[in-house]
Structures are given as structure tokens and as C-alpha cells.
Amino acid sequence: MDLQLPPTLRQLRVACSQCNLMELCLPVGLSEEDVARIEELIGTRRKLKRHQALYEVRSSFQALYAIRAGSFKTTIVLEDGREQVTGFQMTGELLGLDGISTGLHVVSAIALEDSEVCVIEYARLEALAREIQGLQAQFHKVLSREIVREQSVMMLLGTMRAEERLAVFLLNLAQRFAARGFSGTEFRLRMTREEIGSYLGLKLETVSRTLSHFQEEGLIEVQHKNIRLRDRERLRALIQAPLSH
Amino acid sequence: MDLQLPPTLRQLRVACSQCNLMELCLPVGLSEEDVARIEELIGTRRKLKRHQALYEVRSSFQALYAIRAGSFKTTIVLEDGREQVTGFQMTGELLGLDGISTGLHVVSAIALEDSEVCVIEYARLEALAREIQGLQAQFHKVLSREIVREQSVMMLLGTMRAEERLAVFLLNLAQRFAARGFSGTEFRLRMTREEIGSYLGLKLETVSRTLSHFQEEGLIEVQHKNIRLRDRERLRALIQAPLSH
DNA sequence: ACGATGAGTTGACCGCCATCAACGAAAACG
DNA sequence: CGTTTTCGTTGATGGCGGTCAACTCATCGT
């Protein structure tokens, strides 16, 4: 998500009615007229309760979903039952991009808390993107950004140690909370240790131990799902030079 | 890449001049007229020698590249120098999608052998995609497919053991060679053990050992960079039930 | 052709994280 | 409100793959 929003963009966000559709509705260079047209895109809204699936693997792809409130995880499963969390999404982020490729979803999207999404019918989006250049450009950027995000996760999973993975994870969450106007220092984890571990390629015990370790080192405070970052700089430094103990 | 090409598509491929632009030039439902227009897209061609960079990290993004001949790796680097291979690309696949997001490339693309690419100026592609619905749809699918591919790599890195990772890697390569009309049973690795290891989150020694292990088990034959698959089924089975030894 | 250099193999040892297990605490349920 | 279940923490132990090292074998350049 873009952090530094020029003033003009803030206006656009307001113009885009009540919807926090940051990623799709905030392209630079859209006229007010275009913004109005984009509102046509938003079809129904959908509310989900905690643990409810927005869509399941193998279900047919019809729409993208912009998260209006709440948060989600996406998970992929192997035939033998092994499951992996491939991402955590929060307000303003898009879900469903995985389905464009084949017309079937390859991941499931599960609400981590009671949430609400805007349904964006994909056929309409494609049609409108053909007419509004700025929308097309922005949509491509969103797709590419997801590719880039996943590449950095590959890097994390391929080369980093447990401590580094957790540090990256916490700093990333903090940044995203801050970008949404929440505290980037104190926040509540929406997911369990097991889900964090699954995302980071670690076991839940390792996640728990590493968080405790961070606390002992004075880097963070942990109280169940509540996290407080106490020393961002050392946390950041840790990514390049793991703690020697 | 799509394997089952309906007859009409074979014609299109021929129509798309000499170019093997499978992913972009083979959308279903393009009229002959549209195909002709797509040819406008192809600007210059570029030849690269082994080890030469098609583009580097942080270089400005201007174009996508369709591989006409040869193969590439894409790599990402951390500040501390750690490097990871994020993908191997071969004939007919697209390079450069990572740059759309920010206008700067976040990976480097390096030729694994002497290679040739078609340069597709991105601005032109976007313009043409606005006019030709089939091209737009196909382009979105290519982007989404890359997202899906990376998700399966995340799964591999997050949950699989060394043996399983290698098995997945070999079977995937075999499938892609086969899809290009080459043997899916006997092929030559274009990359080193170190590059394979980097991609799979393993050290080169582990790659080497595991390949030797496969050979002892009669699953494959290895002679330096030449691989021969001897028992695909057991190789595939191994992914769900690692060898007990 | 021939050294020089990079690539690959194999062995010995070790460390990080998984595994197994027990306990404690919070939250969800009726 | 109390009970059950899920979630989280911590300890003990072990194994997979990393690390260090030595050696062999291609490949490439001059």
C-alpha cells in the first residue's frame, strides 16, 4: 500500500463515497468524472463472520473483493492436507487476484474477524479498465505489487532465520497499521501463532519462543495477541545481523 | 503455459510471425486482424550472452520481454548481500512483470545461456490492451498466473522437505520442456546447483546430495547437468510421502 | 594443449528448528 | 457463570539440512 498520499489523493478517497478502496480507487490522475464512474463498479457488499470463507479453493472466480473492514488470511492446501497461509490482508487490500488465471480460485480466503468487503464484478472491472486508462494502469500495478510482495516472501522463506522472519513480519504489520491511521507501535494480532507460523514457514512453538525471546531482549512487549514495539531500530537491525546469544 | 492448444491457436501462433510469444500472442478469441495489430507491439529484439543481464534491480521499467530462445533466472538481493533466485524462465515466458508496480525493477534478469528476447514496450501494450479485449484478458491472466506460481513456491519453501522440493522442481522442469516439444524425460539443466539451491531455499551441497540420493533410489539418472527421469510416478509420490530411509 | 577456474561430489560435524509433551490462560459456548 | 475448547508458553530431545573442508572433474580462455 502507498504510504505517502499526496493531498489530492485524500480528496479522491473522500470522493469515492464511503469506500476505503485504497488500491483501486486511488489512482493518480483520475478525473472526478472517472471516480464517479468507478463507483458503478462496486456491486453489493458482503459481511462475513470470523472464520467464514469469502471464497474457497476451486470455487469459480467471478469477482474481486476490496476489504472495507476487517482482515483475512488466504490459504492454499496440498492433496495430503498440508496447508499454508500465503498472505494476510487488511482494510483497503484486494482479494481474489488468484482466480483470474484459470477462472477458479486456487486459495481460500477466510475472515480473521467479522469483516466486510465490496464485491467488484470482474467482467465490469475489465470493461471499465478498457475505458479509463488510469484505472487500467492502477489495476496492473496492484497485480504487479502482489507479484513483488510474494517475491519478498520467497526471499524470507528461502534465506531468513526464524528471528529474522518474525522481525520482518512484525515490522510489516506495523507499517500497514500505520498506513491506515492506526498505531504502528501498538496493535493486536488478528491471527493465531499457528497461522503466523504457517505464513512464515515455522511451527507455532517457534513463533511463540521467538516472540518471548524478543521480549526478553526488550525489543517488544507481548501480551497474548497484543504487541507493542519497543525498539524498532534494533528490530530492523536484526534482519541483517541476527542476534548472537 | 497452456498445454492443450486448440487447433485455432496453432494457426494463431503461426500468424504471430516467427515469434514464440506463447503467453501474450495466443489468447483465445483474437481475430486475425487483432493478431496483425499485436505484431505492432513487438519492437526490437535483443540478444544476450550467457550471464548477461537483461535488466538489473532498480533499473527503470520500460518494457516486458518475451523469451524467444534461451533461458533466464530472476534474482532478488537483500542489503546484506544475500541473494535469492525467484524464478527460472524459458522460451515463451514473460520477463519484467515485477517492474510494473513501481516503475523500477525489483529483480535482475540474467541469461543462463545465450538467449534472445522480444522487447514489448509497456506503454504500447497498455494502449493496445485497451483496444483489444482478448489481449487485455490474456495479459491479466499472465499476471495472475505469476501470482499463482509464486504461491506454490511459497508452499514449497514453507512446508516441504529437501527431497520434496527437488522432486517438485524436476517434475516442473520436465513438464515445461515437454510443453515446448522437447523431451520431458531427458533434459539439460541450464542452471548450477547453487542456483537451484537458491531457488529452493537449500544449499548447493544439499541439492547435490539429494540428486545423488535420487539416483541411488533409481528415480533419476544424473550426469552433471544432464538429467534423466527414470521413475516419474515414484518421484511424484515422493512429494506426498517423503522417502523413509 | 594446458593450466586456471568454476562446478560438483562426498564426508564429518554441528546448530537451528521441529517434535513431543505438559501445563496454563483466555475465550467461546451453552 | 461455569465448563470446554482453543490458544499460547515452556522444556527436553532429536533430526534435517547447514557448514566447513577436501577432492575430483568439466569447462573456458589464451
Side-chain angles (χ1 to χ4, degrees):
Chain A
M1 55 250 61
D2 302 306
L3 307 191
Q4 347 59 332
L5 304 179
T8 55
L9 293 188
R10 307 239 338 267
Q11 295 167 16
L12 280 181
R13 172 154 52 179
V14 174
C16 194
S17 300
Q18 273 68 279
C19 186
N20 286 331
L21 232 181
M22 293 176 148
E23 297 193 311
L24 271 184
C25 283
L26 285 181
V28 189
L30 279 201
S31 68
E32 306 226 345
E33 186 183 65
D34 285 342
V35 172
R37 298 200 53 198
I38 286 177
E39 294 191 359
E40 300 168 16
L41 264 181
I42 310 304
T44 55
R45 297 211 176 120
R46 231 179 109 187
K47 290 195 176 184
L48 294 107
K49 298 212 160 168
R50 197 153 97 101
H51 297 160
Q52 200 181 341
L54 175 58
Y55 56 82
E56 298 266 13
V57 187
R58 303 193 164 282
S59 64
S60 103
F61 164 72
Q62 300 293 341
L64 299 177
Y65 305 92
I67 305 176
R68 255 180 78 73
S71 52
F72 289 80
K73 66 172 176 182
T74 48
T75 66
I76 191 172
V77 274
L78 285 187
E79 297 88 60
D80 60 8
R82 273 181 289 188
E83 183 173 340
Q84 170 142 9
V85 172
T86 58
F88 297 112
Q89 296 81 19
M90 48 206 289
T91 308
E93 293 175 340
L94 267 191
L95 281 164
L97 299 176
D98 60 285
I100 299 173
S101 164
T102 62
L104 293 180
H105 286 289
V106 299
V107 299
S108 298
I110 314 286
L112 292 175
E113 58 191 314
D114 293 357
S115 303
E116 189 177 7
V117 299
C118 294
V119 180
I120 304 170
E121 204 187 308
Y122 184 62
R124 273 207 240 170
L125 172 61
E126 280 211 312
L128 209 53
R130 246 174 284 127
E131 297 177 27
I132 305 178
Q133 182 176 356
L135 177 63
Q136 180 200 40
Q138 180 66 8
F139 181 53
H140 291 168
K141 283 184 184 177
V142 169
L143 282 158
S144 175
R145 192 184 311 164
E146 177 65 9
I147 290 172
V148 169
R149 180 192 72 83
E150 290 183 1
Q151 270 167 346
S152 69
V153 176
M154 286 170 62
M155 173 113 237
L156 179 147
L157 292 172
T159 72
M160 289 190 177
R161 305 156 27 109
E163 269 178 2
E164 304 178 86
R165 298 185 196 189
L166 254 309
V168 168
F169 175 73
L170 291 175
L171 289 170
N172 175 265
L173 269 192
Q175 181 209 345
R176 288 156 76 192
F177 277 120
R180 280 158 183 75
F182 299 110
S183 167
T185 312
E186 229 169 330
F187 48 85
R188 185 173 177 77
L189 299 175
R190 255 60 216 213
M191 64 296 282
T192 67
R193 303 288 193 264
E194 187 171 21
E195 288 163 339
I196 296 173
S198 174
Y199 181 59
L200 298 178
L202 301 171
K203 291 296 163 183
L204 67 94
E205 294 95 329
T206 304
V207 173
S208 181
R209 262 187 260 271
T210 307
L211 288 178
S212 299
H213 185 202
F214 282 174
Q215 184 161 237
E216 289 163 18
E217 295 280 340
L219 295 171
I220 66 176
E221 273 175 38
V222 190
Q223 243 171 16
H224 315 297
K225 297 209 186 259
N226 299 310
I227 300 283
R228 178 151 168 257
L229 303 190
R230 299 204 55 181
D231 195 336
R232 265 185 146 76
E233 273 322 306
R234 275 173 65 213
L235 210 50
R236 201 169 283 126
L238 193 147
I239 295 171
Q240 299 180 46
L243 283 182
S244 51
H245 37 184
Chain B
M1 54 252 68
D2 303 307
L3 306 191
Q4 346 61 329
L5 305 178
T8 54
L9 292 188
R10 308 238 338 268
Q11 296 167 16
L12 280 181
R13 171 155 52 181
V14 174
C16 193
S17 300
Q18 273 69 276
C19 186
N20 287 329
L21 232 180
M22 292 175 151
E23 296 193 312
L24 269 185
C25 282
L26 285 181
V28 189
L30 281 201
S31 69
E32 307 227 343
E33 185 183 66
D34 285 343
V35 172
R37 297 198 55 197
I38 286 177
E39 294 191 0
E40 299 168 17
L41 264 181
I42 310 304
T44 54
R45 295 209 177 121
R46 229 178 112 188
K47 290 195 176 183
L48 294 108
K49 298 212 161 165
R50 197 153 96 103
H51 296 161
Q52 200 182 342
L54 175 59
Y55 56 82
E56 300 265 13
V57 185
R58 303 192 164 281
S59 64
S60 101
F61 164 72
Q62 300 293 341
L64 300 177
Y65 306 93
I67 305 176
R68 256 179 77 73
S71 51
F72 290 79
K73 67 170 175 181
T74 47
T75 66
I76 191 173
V77 275
L78 284 187
E79 297 89 61
D80 60 7
R82 274 181 288 187
E83 183 173 338
Q84 171 144 8
V85 173
T86 58
F88 296 112
Q89 297 80 20
M90 49 206 284
T91 308
E93 293 174 341
L94 266 192
L95 281 164
L97 299 177
D98 61 285
I100 299 173
S101 163
T102 61
L104 293 179
H105 286 289
V106 299
V107 299
S108 298
I110 314 285
L112 293 175
E113 60 191 311
D114 293 357
S115 303
E116 189 177 6
V117 299
C118 294
V119 180
I120 304 170
E121 204 188 307
Y122 184 62
R124 275 208 239 172
L125 173 61
E126 280 209 313
L128 210 53
R130 247 174 284 128
E131 296 177 25
I132 305 177
Q133 181 175 358
L135 177 63
Q136 180 199 40
Q138 180 65 8
F139 181 53
H140 291 166
K141 284 185 182 177
V142 169
L143 282 158
S144 175
R145 192 184 310 163
E146 178 65 9
I147 290 172
V148 170
R149 180 191 74 80
E150 290 183 0
Q151 270 168 345
S152 69
V153 175
M154 285 171 62
M155 172 113 239
L156 179 147
L157 293 171
T159 72
M160 290 190 176
R161 306 156 28 112
E163 270 178 1
E164 304 178 85
R165 297 184 195 189
L166 253 308
V168 168
F169 175 72
L170 291 175
L171 289 170
N172 176 265
L173 268 192
Q175 179 210 344
R176 286 156 77 192
F177 277 120
R180 280 157 184 75
F182 299 110
S183 167
T185 313
E186 230 169 329
F187 49 85
R188 184 172 177 77
L189 298 175
R190 254 61 218 212
M191 64 297 282
T192 67
R193 302 287 192 266
E194 187 172 20
E195 288 163 338
I196 296 173
S198 174
Y199 181 58
L200 298 178
L202 302 170
K203 291 295 161 182
L204 66 95
E205 294 95 329
T206 304
V207 173
S208 181
R209 263 187 259 271
T210 306
L211 289 178
S212 300
H213 185 202
F214 282 174
Q215 183 160 237
E216 289 163 19
E217 295 280 340
L219 295 171
I220 66 175
E221 274 175 37
V222 190
Q223 246 171 15
H224 314 298
K225 296 208 186 266
N226 298 308
I227 300 284
R228 179 153 167 257
L229 303 190
R230 299 203 57 182
D231 195 336
R232 265 184 146 75
E233 273 323 307
R234 276 174 64 214
L235 210 50
R236 201 167 284 124
L238 193 147
I239 295 170
Q240 299 181 45
L243 284 182
S244 52
H245 36 186

